[in-house]
């Protein structure tokens, strides 16, 4: 599963870790994150993320 | 220990968050000038464009502050700092004592001193209240001129165009995004912007807002005039250094800090748009973020050097991704520049190479390869062998 990077603050979303503090279980691919999920570090939406290759 | 933070923008919030991660007991008090909770400024553009509703502008909930045990004082601008007694004074003259202080007061929109700047119809975009005022004005006024063809100007132009306004951009310089793009890249961007119906004018210095009390148009140096009933000034920012300056801290264009984000007073630190480090002021989120985290470590005596931030901008303009990293317009020196473009599709890739390493890059119209290039720049990887082929589509970065 691919990691995605927040272009606003550099936070890396790692699907293997998920974002449990905000209700996202480990193993959740980025595409499956709810539309209203925001970067846990700076608060911008999914739209600001780009795939880390 | 009690730490007071002046400012509730990204550096204030990331500083508080990092402090709390480092120590569960430190008392943290944030004094915010605005009445709103922290919001990432890029969300203002999303809100203006109608792409997100008001509630989605904010990042962290009221509960988050409680859980983190961060005391947030909204609508409580700080009036003065007293270095000797280590106190800040609020507008109502109430004093608060600190052991350490972080100045993270940020910047305001600069409005050039043209005539009539205070007529009805002239706006800036920096805060939520600004966004509300612009939206209200759009209800009745639909012809907009954006003053400034930089990052904010272009993103605002597109947002208002998508709201149905008629939008033109006037830029003082001879090209768009003068800091992030070179002439070639800027010309490709201009084509793409005009394709969506936003006209762009260069070499335009605003001299006067026409109209009696309400704006009817703008007049520029040289005599040219354009009609409009609204204008948004996106001509750069200036830092809020007054309070720091008056207290006796060293300021220049910004609040001067050393490699540990410390000001000329050892108990006071700085982070974000307000600071000046080694003569540089950044005004971008990655820098504010970096500085805030580093300052938090230093406050606890865990010496961490701030080495500066490679200036990097990633933005989307007219649906085109534009990434600009490091030195993109080299002047003198032994630099080599390599380019590849596809004008029709708005794709432009350029690298600036010095002694075999990439020192700057423009990557426009495609996200493929941009993360790798960014890494090569920050790691100063030698790419001598691949100078030209690296710009090809589907270049295999694993060879490096």
């Amino acid at each position: 599963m691919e990691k995605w990077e927040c272009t606003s603050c550099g936070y890396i979303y790692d699907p293997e870790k998920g974002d449990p503090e905000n209700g996202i279980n480990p193993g959740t691919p980025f595409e499956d994150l709810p539309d209203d999920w925001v970067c846990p570090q700076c608060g911008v939406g999914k739209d600001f993320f780009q795939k880390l290759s | 220990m009690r730490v007071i933070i002046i400012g509730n923008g990204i550096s204030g919030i990331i500083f508080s968050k990092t402090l709390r991660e480092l120590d569960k007991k430190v008392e943290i008090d944030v004094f915010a000038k605005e009445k709103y909770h922290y919001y990432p400024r890029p969300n203002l553009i999303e809100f203006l464009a109608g792409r997100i509703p008001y509630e989605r502008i904010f990042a962290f909930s009221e509960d988050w502050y409680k859980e983190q045990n961060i005391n947030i004082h909204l609508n409580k601008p700080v009036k003065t700092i007293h270095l000797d007694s280590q106190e800040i004074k609020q507008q109502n003259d109430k004093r608060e004592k600190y052991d350490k202080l972080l100045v993270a007061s940020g910047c305001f929109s600069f409005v050039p001193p043209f005539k009539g700047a205070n007529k009805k119809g002239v706006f800036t975009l920096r805060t939520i209240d600004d966004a509300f005022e612009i939206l209200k004005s759009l209800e009745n006024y639909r012809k907009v001129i954006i003053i400034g063809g930089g990052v904010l100007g272009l993103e605002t132009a597109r947002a208002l165009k998508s709201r149905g306004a008629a939008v033109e951009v006037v830029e003082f310089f001879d090209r768009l995004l003068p800091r992030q793009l070179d002439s070639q890249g800027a010309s490709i961007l201009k084509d793409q912007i005009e394709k969506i119906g936003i006209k762009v004018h260069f070499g335009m210095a605003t001299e006067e807002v026409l109209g009696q009390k309400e704006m009817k148009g703008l007049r520029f140096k040289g005599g040219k005039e354009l009609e409009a009933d609204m204008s948004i000034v996106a001509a750069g920012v200036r830092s809020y250094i007054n309070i720091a300056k008056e207290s006796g801290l060293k300021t220049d264009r910004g609040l001067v800090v050393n490699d540990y984000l410390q000001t000329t007073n050892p108990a006071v630190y700085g982070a974000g748009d307000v600071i000046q480090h080694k003569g540089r002021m950044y005004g971008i989120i990655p820098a504010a973020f970096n500085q805030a985290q580093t300052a938090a470590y230093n406050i606890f005596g865990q010496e961490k050097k701030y080495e500066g931030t490679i200036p990097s901008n990633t933005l989307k303009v007219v649906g085109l991704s534009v990434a600009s990293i490091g030195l993109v317009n080299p002047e003198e020196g032994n630099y080599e520049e390599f380019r590849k473009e596809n004008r029709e599709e708005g794709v432009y890739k350029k690298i600036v190479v010095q002694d075999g390493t990439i020192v700057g890059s423009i990557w426009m119209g495609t996200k493929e390869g941009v993360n790798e290039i960014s890494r090569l720049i920050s790691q100063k990887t030698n790419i001598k062998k691949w100078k030209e082929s690296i710009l090809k589509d589907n270049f295999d970065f694993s060879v490096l």
Side-chain angles (χ1 to χ4, degrees), chain A residues 4-5 7-12 21-22 34-53, chain B residues 10 13-14 17 38-40 42-43 46 51 56-60 64 68 285-286 289 293 314 316 367 369-372 375:
Chain A
W4 286 65
E5 180 182 25
T7 58
S8 175
C9 76
Y11 167 80
I12 309 278
E21 264 182 44
N22 293 299
D35 282 336
D36 63 353
W37 179 84
V38 297
C39 173
Q41 219 150 237
C42 77
V44 294
K46 281 180 80 173
D47 211 33
F48 283 86
F49 278 71
Q50 73 187 8
K51 218 187 280 186
L52 207 59
S53 13
Chain B
I10 190 156
I13 216 62
I14 294 300
K17 189 172 188 272
Y38 163 65
Y39 55 94
N43 283 350
E46 301 302 295
R51 295 192 285 259
R56 292 269 303 273
I57 297 177
F58 305 95
F60 306 115
W64 181 84
Q68 299 290 314
I285 290 177
F289 195 84
Q293 281 195 321
T314 307
K316 277 184 298 183
K367 286 186 183 169
V370 69
N371 286 318
E372 290 85 342
R375 212 157 300 136

Side-chain angles (χ1 to χ4, degrees), chain B residues 137-158:
Chain B
S137 177
L138 274 182
E139 285 168 23
N140 296 310
Y141 302 101
R142 314 290 288 165
K143 202 164 183 330
V144 189
I145 295 181
I146 309 279
I147 299 178
V151 172
L152 181 63
L154 294 183
E155 299 211 14
T156 306
R158 187 192 176 211

Side-chain angles (χ1 to χ4, degrees), chain B residues 178-342:
Chain B
R179 295 204 295 169
Q180 292 84 5
L181 295 179
D182 60 7
S183 305
Q184 210 162 321
S187 141
I188 294 174
L189 181 64
K190 175 178 187 261
D191 285 351
Q192 298 296 318
I193 288 187
E194 291 192 328
K195 260 190 199 165
I196 65 160
I198 296 173
K199 198 147 188 263
V200 181
H201 310 267
F202 297 118
M204 306 282 267
T206 310
E207 279 198 335
E208 185 171 3
V209 178
L210 305 168
Q212 290 273 36
K213 288 214 191 83
E214 290 186 359
M215 175 174 164
K216 290 280 179 274
L218 295 176
R219 186 175 56 76
F220 303 89
K221 190 169 177 189
K224 186 158 185 176
E225 287 182 13
L226 288 175
E227 266 183 41
D229 30 48
M230 261 180 82
S231 113
I232 303 191
V233 183
V237 291
R238 298 290 183 274
S239 46
Y240 274 122
I241 43 169
N242 276 345
I243 298 173
K245 192 171 180 188
E246 281 158 17
S247 74
L249 293 170
K250 181 171 186 210
T251 63
D252 179 22
R253 287 165 297 131
L255 173 63
V256 176
V257 297
N258 63 19
D259 288 345
Y260 303 97
L261 282 328
Q262 207 175 24
T263 65
T264 43
N265 179 292
V268 183
Y269 291 71
D273 289 357
V274 74
I275 69 165
Q276 185 173 320
H277 172 258
K278 290 197 159 114
R280 299 188 76 157
M281 297 187 66
Y282 291 87
I284 57 175
I285 290 177
F289 195 84
N290 238 333
Q291 291 154 9
Q293 281 195 321
T294 310
Y297 279 93
N298 283 304
I299 289 242
F300 281 116
Q302 292 183 38
E303 270 191 9
K304 230 185 192 215
K305 246 190 169 182
Y306 173 66
E307 314 266 10
T309 305
I310 296 173
S312 130
N313 269 112
T314 307
L315 55 143
K316 277 184 298 183
V317 193
V318 309
L320 214 62
S321 65
V322 178
S324 173
I325 309 164
L327 178 63
V328 302
N329 282 305
E331 284 169 24
E332 264 136 59
N334 59 328
Y335 298 101
E336 296 174 279
E337 299 178 45
F338 300 91
R339 298 173 165 87
K340 183 175 189 295
E341 74 169 64
N342 180 334

